[in-house]
Amino acid sequence: MSAISHNLQAVRDKIYAAANTAARAPENVNLLAVSKTWGADEVLEAARAGQRAFGENYEQEAVAKMAVVKAAQPELALEWHFIGPLQSNKTRSIAEHFDWVHSIDREKIARRLSDQRPAELPSLNVCIQVNISGEDSKSGVSPADVPALARAIAAMPHLKLRGLMAIPEPETNPEKQRIPFAQMKQLFDQLRAQGIELDTLSMGMTDDMGAAIAAGATIVRVGTAIFGQRQYHEK
Ligand SMILES: *Cc1c(COP(=O)(O)O)cnc(C)c1O
């Protein structure tokens, strides 16, 4: 077994155990393999071990990688999720190349993605990024502003609003890790109670996936535990 396939199995086991502990069905927790900074070879290795959904933060890096992966194994049906900060000048390429965007943080960006989504592709699946820890430095919408943005996105023709995403402040204490995730679950339930259709809570990374699953995550975004420590600095 390669290191990546071994790591992937360990992450799947962890998801399974965390779901069981929380009395949740493990198949309701999907694994997004975050391949940012890694190459097409690592993506192909994970794909050979059965992984289908990959998360990327940088448009140029991702699109180049997708082309190499496609050329190497054209029959592989992979799902690509954009999870990084969104800039206006990148929306066209993102709308053309990705299946999901997790990091919507303003209406203008959502509108551009909807306008630029090619008509022959299915609607782009999107999540609203919520600034749940209230940090000034982090991107994301404040919880109070989420309902209005959700309603605006739900009306956009080429987007499909799927849910909410968060990157809480790093925290090592598992009990404290749960607090922002529980707040996200509460916000998610409130929106659904208001009639907004959502089925996705994208939260939890290598160091806090257990707490996120306990709180109701349906997608965990995991990089380091699968591919190892990223070898160069993020841009
Ligand atoms: C890099 C990244 C991840 C993965 O983080 P790890 O700690 O390596 O698992 C998840 N989500 C987002 C938005 C990221 O940028």
Side-chain angles (χ1 to χ4, degrees):
M1 253 213 290
S2 75
I4 288 175
S5 68
H6 178 271
N7 292 346
L8 259 174
Q9 193 51 51
V11 170
R12 289 183 192 127
D13 290 347
K14 203 165 168 182
I15 291 171
Y16 190 88
N20 268 329
T21 303
R24 299 186 53 208
E27 63 269 24
N28 292 341
V29 184
N30 296 291
L31 175 58
L32 181 65
V34 177
S35 44
K36 67 175 174 217
T37 79
W38 296 98
D41 286 347
E42 284 81 14
V43 169
L44 285 163
E45 204 171 317
R48 280 194 284 272
Q51 181 63 30
R52 287 294 171 267
F54 291 88
E56 291 283 340
N57 291 52
Y58 312 104
E59 174 273 333
Q60 264 189 313
E61 176 193 324
V63 170
K65 200 179 301 183
M66 286 174 195
V68 178
V69 169
K70 191 86 193 161
Q73 233 159 312
E75 74 290 356
L76 265 182
L78 300 185
E79 199 176 82
W80 293 95
H81 296 230
F82 189 83
I83 61 175
L86 286 157
Q87 296 165 273
S88 292
N89 62 340
K90 305 287 186 185
T91 53
R92 182 173 299 280
S93 176
I94 290 168
E96 289 172 354
H97 291 98
F98 283 84
D99 302 293
W100 283 68
V101 173
H102 292 227
S103 42
I104 303 275
D105 61 356
R106 53 204 191 275
E107 187 174 339
K108 185 181 151 230
I109 285 283
R111 179 87 51 204
R112 286 177 71 91
L113 288 167
S114 182
D115 289 347
Q116 295 169 341
R117 180 68 167 173
E120 69 275 14
L121 295 181
S123 293
L124 182 63
N125 297 292
V126 301
C127 294
I128 295 172
Q129 183 172 348
V130 183
N131 186 359
I132 200 68
S133 306
E135 293 163 278
D136 294 338
S137 59
K138 281 269 166 66
S139 40
V141 183
S142 73
D145 294 334
V146 171
L149 181 57
R151 288 207 171 78
I153 292 172
M156 294 184 190
H158 304 293
L159 300 186
K160 170 92 187 111
L161 180 64
R162 298 298 298 267
L164 306 178
M165 181 272 234
I167 314 171
E169 226 174 315
E171 170 58 64
T172 50
N173 179 320
E175 287 308 313
K176 288 187 184 158
Q177 284 178 348
R178 288 193 186 211
I179 297 168
F181 293 138
Q183 289 169 338
M184 286 292 290
K185 176 66 161 74
Q186 199 178 14
L187 181 60
F188 177 80
D189 289 342
Q190 276 168 10
L191 292 166
R192 281 165 51 113
Q194 290 169 23
I196 299 170
E197 274 180 52
L198 304 174
D199 63 9
T200 300
L201 256 180
S202 166
M203 55 188 199
M205 322 202 302
T206 292
D207 292 329
D208 57 13
M209 56 185 288
I213 292 167
T218 68
I219 297 181
V220 289
R221 308 176 311 267
V222 179
T224 307
I226 297 171
F227 297 107
Q229 210 70 46
R230 284 181 282 280
Q231 285 165 357
Y232 55 86
H233 258 302
E234 295 173 37
K235 282 156 269 185

